[in-house]
Amino acid sequence: MAEAILCGVAQTIIENLGSAAFENFGPLWNVKDDIESIKNTVSRIQAVLLDAMEQPNRNHQASDWLEKLKDAFYDADDLLGEYKFHVELALQQKETSGNTAEKVRNFFRSIPLVFRNRKMSLRIIELRQNLIAMAQDRNNFHFNEGHVKPQVSLNRETIPWLPNKEVIGRDDDKNAIIKLLLEPNNDENVSTTAIVGIGGLGKTTLAQNVYNHEKVNTHFELKIWVCVSNVFEVTTIAKKLINGIDKDDSMELMRKKRRKFNPEVLMGQVHDMDPLRELVNKIYQKKFLLVLDDIWNENNKNWNDFKSLLIGGAKGSKILITTRVLLVAKITRPVSIYDLKGLSKDHSWFLFEKIAFRNRQETNDANLIEIGREIVDKCQGVPLAIESIGNALYFEKKDGWLKMKDKVQENVIEQGGGNTLSILKLSYDHLPSYIKGCFAFYSLFPKSYKIDRMTLIQLWMAHGLIQLPNNIEQVEDVADECIKNLLCRLDYLDEKTNHVSFSSGSSFTKTLSLVKASIKVRTILFTHSRDAFDAMDESTLSTLIESFLGLRALDLHKLNIKIIPNSLGKLIHLRYLDVSCNPIETLPDSITTLLNLQTLKLQYCQNLEQLPRDVTKLVSLRHLDNRGCLKLRLPQGIQKMTGLQSLPLFIVWNNGGLGELNGLNNLRGTLEIKISEQLEDANSDCEVKNLREKQHLEELKLTWAHQEGHDEMLLDSLQPHPNLKILEVCGYTGVTFSSWLPSIENLVNITLRRCDRCNHLPPLSKLPFLERLWLDGMKDLECISDRDISEEVSTLSFFPSLKSLAIGECPNLKGWWRSPSMTDHQQHQHNRSLPSFPCLSSISIMIVLI
């Protein structure tokens, strides 16, 4: 996994070398050619790393080379990142004041001496030489520069016959699968059923059980079993199928019944491929069961080409596949997907007891049984893990069982036995290379820890682990695709450790001496419970900062920190900083020099009143998470931070400031605009026209914290983009609601709370996707729609998607429509055509008796 992270570091190095800082100033030190050489060398090594990731079994020399390469890459990243930082900081300061000559003099003065003399050239040249030497050394280890992914083989070949052993706890699963296979097909001659589950659950054993069942034997004319594993090549599988058919005892009888047909009709463009033509011929008009065990294919075309060979089978033919990956199952377009779970606790214990004790006298040892049950609980119902551990404990005495319990505490799979790790590691080996680096970050979090999705994405971004395939996609979108399959746990810490996590501030203090030895630490996370406050004093925090100047990610949430030292500015490589839920009142001015900072999390820093004035200089900042910072005043000029992707809370104080939102058109997710006080007339007329250009926003909350004045004009100016899905308005003091509401056609959820003076709403009945409407505390509301009933009763679409309607504390509500009056003839005419809610499943109306 280390190689995958190194690929991210390599990409960061390449991007730094291609930046304006090196393009413009490299020639000043006569290192332009050296920089280009470094870029090319790192690019070649990056390709080598992709190959190294696919070679799980390496000798000690190769592992040593990769370890040295890691040190070289981290040193290069630190050096180049530090240089780029100082150049960009100097360029920023150059823009302040003075004539051109003075600006140039100030620029060179502001760059540290180490970057203004011959030493910089020598360091660049030395770096180039070291990397070239590393690139040459890789020739000794047969690593390639290509991106061709070699196939991983574990020499695993499954057979259709059950081994001579009892299968425990799978009777219900077996009967369910058999029932699916015996059901008639609807339209197709051949249909697919998929068994999906993690490695070691017993998918193959279950399929063997089904394959050999008497009902299955009598139902199908022909049965074939193929272990596909990691190679899905149509011709290869066809040959395996042919061999399987030829070995079937009943094939002679089947050949006599073979009917004449033209295989060219079914073969299409593959008619010249003998194995494929032969396969079509052999299964033609036969009712067959084909088991494809252990499939990893994620290519639609491969599957469609293979399936086209089988359509000549008789109606009722079935394909049963087993796979660990849901996507693989979906590609086969199965009529049903059977999600295989772990064994129950009782079945797990029965299996373990049968293997580990084997009816010996130890079954009467209460202490041994207690230890065994703790071990089994950690196996989470995975039969392969239970069997492997049970076999390992068969010859052990009590202390051996205790040691095993300690080992499985952190990672049961690694301690279960040789075959267990090899088989389950295949899931990792099949991950795309760019995901493998992301996988490693799960190891920083304790078992059962609830990991915030966006936090993980921001950490990946901080280490350059996400590369964009093109300039259109957002890095957050690409990262989101990686979060689907991964979980692991990291144990130990040594001088070569780069990423560490601590369960508490006290645990960090206790191990500070050990951690200080690891000068290359790039990530420090505190993963204590979100409900439990720990503490870190200012002295310890200062020591942490001074000790780890290479940090890319630092998480200090809920450590009861009151003062953040100004030395924070020394963390020039920092990209991710979380100081949430701390009683801090200010942030140090030095934070504005962290030009690489991408994520700043300030959640629920309830004493924080302002940010440093120059925070807008944080040109790389994408996420400013200020949720729950109810006293915080954002500085003027925030609209210049056009790269911001998230800003959950925007408080408008009595001096206005709504115009600051106009430049932030890349905001996504949730935005709450909180009007803290009644705005003056000059400010209340401010139009936030760009709010309707924020097409990535999904949720908008508009909150008034005062109960005076009329804010119709202000609300009118806050019209969002039609892509908005959730709208909540709270405390609005206007009498009428803005007419733009029905035009936000993608709304799914509308909540209007404590809008006391509003007496009617614009028509909402034609919003096509609206599923939830909640009206609460609308004291003056007299009607829900300002239309006449006759205008809506004939509509073809009346709340077509509404599932939930809640109305509470609306004491003056008289009816749905503004004018419900009709003549007797009209009422009779419309009785049968009154609009209805076709999808409504929940309705709540709360009446308050005064």
mmCIF file of all heavy atoms in Angstrom, residues 133 162 191 279 370 414 469 473 483 520 522 556 609 728 788 794 818 847:
data_model
loop_
_atom_site.group_PDB
_atom_site.id
_atom_site.type_symbol
_atom_site.label_atom_id
_atom_site.label_comp_id
_atom_site.label_asym_id
_atom_site.label_seq_id
_atom_site.Cartn_x
_atom_site.Cartn_y
_atom_site.Cartn_z
ATOM 1 N N ALA A 133 19.768 7.866 -9.859
ATOM 2 C CA ALA A 133 20.359 6.640 -9.312
ATOM 3 C C ALA A 133 19.274 5.663 -8.865
ATOM 4 O O ALA A 133 19.376 4.453 -9.086
ATOM 5 C CB ALA A 133 21.291 6.984 -8.153
ATOM 6 N N LEU A 162 -18.338 -31.400 -3.797
ATOM 7 C CA LEU A 162 -18.171 -31.000 -2.406
ATOM 8 C C LEU A 162 -17.053 -31.796 -1.752
ATOM 9 O O LEU A 162 -16.993 -33.021 -1.903
ATOM 10 C CB LEU A 162 -19.464 -31.252 -1.622
ATOM 11 C CG LEU A 162 -20.545 -30.186 -1.745
ATOM 12 C CD1 LEU A 162 -21.843 -30.727 -1.158
ATOM 13 C CD2 LEU A 162 -20.142 -28.934 -1.016
ATOM 14 N N SER A 191 -31.039 -16.973 -18.054
ATOM 15 C CA SER A 191 -31.021 -15.895 -17.063
ATOM 16 C C SER A 191 -29.910 -16.139 -16.049
ATOM 17 O O SER A 191 -29.415 -17.263 -15.910
ATOM 18 C CB SER A 191 -32.370 -15.785 -16.342
ATOM 19 O OG SER A 191 -32.619 -16.949 -15.578
ATOM 20 N N LEU A 279 -18.712 -24.329 -28.821
ATOM 21 C CA LEU A 279 -19.514 -24.145 -27.612
ATOM 22 C C LEU A 279 -20.982 -23.912 -27.960
ATOM 23 O O LEU A 279 -21.877 -24.518 -27.354
ATOM 24 C CB LEU A 279 -18.976 -22.963 -26.808
ATOM 25 C CG LEU A 279 -19.803 -22.572 -25.578
ATOM 26 C CD1 LEU A 279 -19.882 -23.727 -24.581
ATOM 27 C CD2 LEU A 279 -19.220 -21.330 -24.902
ATOM 28 N N GLU A 370 -14.589 -19.278 27.144
ATOM 29 C CA GLU A 370 -14.784 -17.821 27.143
ATOM 30 C C GLU A 370 -13.817 -17.138 26.170
ATOM 31 O O GLU A 370 -14.211 -16.253 25.400
ATOM 32 C CB GLU A 370 -14.589 -17.270 28.554
ATOM 33 C CG GLU A 370 -14.845 -15.758 28.647
ATOM 34 C CD GLU A 370 -14.639 -15.222 30.057
ATOM 35 O OE1 GLU A 370 -14.402 -16.043 30.979
ATOM 36 O OE2 GLU A 370 -14.714 -14.004 30.235
ATOM 37 N N GLU A 414 -5.343 -11.379 9.176
ATOM 38 C CA GLU A 414 -3.916 -11.630 9.033
ATOM 39 C C GLU A 414 -3.447 -12.795 9.889
ATOM 40 O O GLU A 414 -2.523 -13.494 9.537
ATOM 41 C CB GLU A 414 -3.119 -10.374 9.411
ATOM 42 C CG GLU A 414 -3.132 -9.325 8.340
ATOM 43 C CD GLU A 414 -2.083 -8.264 8.578
ATOM 44 O OE1 GLU A 414 -1.536 -8.222 9.701
ATOM 45 O OE2 GLU A 414 -1.812 -7.501 7.669
ATOM 46 N N PRO A 469 -9.077 12.879 -14.113
ATOM 47 C CA PRO A 469 -8.901 12.378 -15.468
ATOM 48 C C PRO A 469 -9.010 13.468 -16.524
ATOM 49 O O PRO A 469 -8.520 13.327 -17.622
ATOM 50 C CB PRO A 469 -10.035 11.352 -15.609
ATOM 51 C CG PRO A 469 -11.052 11.768 -14.604
ATOM 52 C CD PRO A 469 -10.294 12.387 -13.468
ATOM 53 N N GLU A 473 -14.070 17.432 -14.295
ATOM 54 C CA GLU A 473 -14.536 16.866 -13.035
ATOM 55 C C GLU A 473 -13.907 17.559 -11.828
ATOM 56 O O GLU A 473 -12.766 18.005 -11.870
ATOM 57 C CB GLU A 473 -14.215 15.372 -12.981
ATOM 58 C CG GLU A 473 -14.964 14.566 -14.025
ATOM 59 C CD GLU A 473 -14.718 13.081 -13.846
ATOM 60 O OE1 GLU A 473 -15.237 12.521 -12.871
ATOM 61 O OE2 GLU A 473 -14.014 12.501 -14.670
ATOM 62 N N ILE A 483 -14.888 5.879 -2.324
ATOM 63 C CA ILE A 483 -15.352 5.465 -0.996
ATOM 64 C C ILE A 483 -16.438 4.426 -1.140
ATOM 65 O O ILE A 483 -17.582 4.743 -1.175
ATOM 66 C CB ILE A 483 -15.896 6.678 -0.219
ATOM 67 C CG1 ILE A 483 -14.846 7.754 -0.177
ATOM 68 C CG2 ILE A 483 -16.299 6.315 1.179
ATOM 69 C CD1 ILE A 483 -15.259 8.981 0.565
ATOM 70 N N LYS A 520 9.427 12.193 9.689
ATOM 71 C CA LYS A 520 8.769 12.292 8.397
ATOM 72 C C LYS A 520 7.253 12.157 8.496
ATOM 73 O O LYS A 520 6.581 11.890 7.497
ATOM 74 C CB LYS A 520 9.320 11.236 7.445
ATOM 75 C CG LYS A 520 10.798 11.422 7.122
ATOM 76 C CD LYS A 520 11.271 10.418 6.082
ATOM 77 C CE LYS A 520 12.756 10.591 5.807
ATOM 78 N NZ LYS A 520 13.079 11.906 5.241
ATOM 79 N N ARG A 522 3.543 12.815 8.257
ATOM 80 C CA ARG A 522 2.793 13.720 7.392
ATOM 81 C C ARG A 522 1.336 13.847 7.803
ATOM 82 O O ARG A 522 0.653 14.751 7.342
ATOM 83 C CB ARG A 522 2.868 13.227 5.948
ATOM 84 C CG ARG A 522 4.280 13.341 5.386
ATOM 85 C CD ARG A 522 4.329 13.012 3.915
ATOM 86 N NE ARG A 522 5.527 13.598 3.329
ATOM 87 C CZ ARG A 522 5.610 14.105 2.113
ATOM 88 N NH1 ARG A 522 4.546 14.105 1.346
ATOM 89 N NH2 ARG A 522 6.731 14.625 1.669
ATOM 90 N N LEU A 556 -7.063 18.286 15.154
ATOM 91 C CA LEU A 556 -6.980 18.622 16.583
ATOM 92 C C LEU A 556 -8.365 18.810 17.181
ATOM 93 O O LEU A 556 -8.531 19.541 18.151
ATOM 94 C CB LEU A 556 -6.164 19.919 16.756
ATOM 95 C CG LEU A 556 -4.716 19.904 16.239
ATOM 96 C CD1 LEU A 556 -4.145 21.319 16.245
ATOM 97 C CD2 LEU A 556 -3.859 18.991 17.096
ATOM 98 N N GLU A 609 -14.891 34.525 17.046
ATOM 99 C CA GLU A 609 -15.640 35.696 16.593
ATOM 100 C C GLU A 609 -15.176 36.225 15.245
ATOM 101 O O GLU A 609 -15.959 36.856 14.536
ATOM 102 C CB GLU A 609 -15.568 36.816 17.642
ATOM 103 C CG GLU A 609 -16.236 36.433 18.961
ATOM 104 C CD GLU A 609 -16.319 37.598 19.928
ATOM 105 O OE1 GLU A 609 -15.855 38.711 19.569
ATOM 106 O OE2 GLU A 609 -16.858 37.409 21.026
ATOM 107 N N GLU A 728 -35.126 25.293 3.130
ATOM 108 C CA GLU A 728 -35.700 25.534 4.456
ATOM 109 C C GLU A 728 -35.670 27.031 4.727
ATOM 110 O O GLU A 728 -34.623 27.676 4.594
ATOM 111 C CB GLU A 728 -34.914 24.795 5.535
ATOM 112 C CG GLU A 728 -35.455 25.021 6.943
ATOM 113 C CD GLU A 728 -34.744 24.212 8.010
ATOM 114 O OE1 GLU A 728 -34.103 23.198 7.636
ATOM 115 O OE2 GLU A 728 -34.808 24.602 9.193
ATOM 116 N N ASP A 788 -57.291 30.033 -6.805
ATOM 117 C CA ASP A 788 -58.677 29.609 -6.619
ATOM 118 C C ASP A 788 -58.748 28.108 -6.874
ATOM 119 O O ASP A 788 -57.993 27.563 -7.679
ATOM 120 C CB ASP A 788 -59.582 30.374 -7.600
ATOM 121 C CG ASP A 788 -61.050 30.126 -7.283
ATOM 122 O OD1 ASP A 788 -61.539 29.032 -7.632
ATOM 123 O OD2 ASP A 788 -61.675 31.022 -6.686
ATOM 124 N N SER A 794 -58.594 21.067 -12.050
ATOM 125 C CA SER A 794 -58.526 20.429 -13.358
ATOM 126 C C SER A 794 -57.101 20.104 -13.781
ATOM 127 O O SER A 794 -56.877 19.614 -14.873
ATOM 128 C CB SER A 794 -59.165 21.350 -14.414
ATOM 129 O OG SER A 794 -58.477 22.590 -14.459
ATOM 130 N N ARG A 818 -57.140 29.737 -1.719
ATOM 131 C CA ARG A 818 -57.485 31.105 -1.324
ATOM 132 C C ARG A 818 -58.987 31.320 -1.408
ATOM 133 O O ARG A 818 -59.581 31.964 -0.546
ATOM 134 C CB ARG A 818 -56.760 32.094 -2.257
ATOM 135 C CG ARG A 818 -57.163 33.546 -2.078
ATOM 136 C CD ARG A 818 -56.275 34.459 -2.916
ATOM 137 N NE ARG A 818 -56.184 34.014 -4.298
ATOM 138 C CZ ARG A 818 -57.094 34.294 -5.240
ATOM 139 N NH1 ARG A 818 -58.167 35.000 -4.930
ATOM 140 N NH2 ARG A 818 -56.931 33.853 -6.479
ATOM 141 N N ILE A 847 -53.036 20.391 15.717
ATOM 142 C CA ILE A 847 -53.894 21.524 16.031
ATOM 143 C C ILE A 847 -53.632 21.940 17.470
ATOM 144 O O ILE A 847 -53.651 21.118 18.389
ATOM 145 C CB ILE A 847 -55.376 21.155 15.862
ATOM 146 C CG1 ILE A 847 -55.634 20.711 14.408
ATOM 147 C CG2 ILE A 847 -56.264 22.324 16.238
ATOM 148 C CD1 ILE A 847 -57.041 20.218 14.181
#
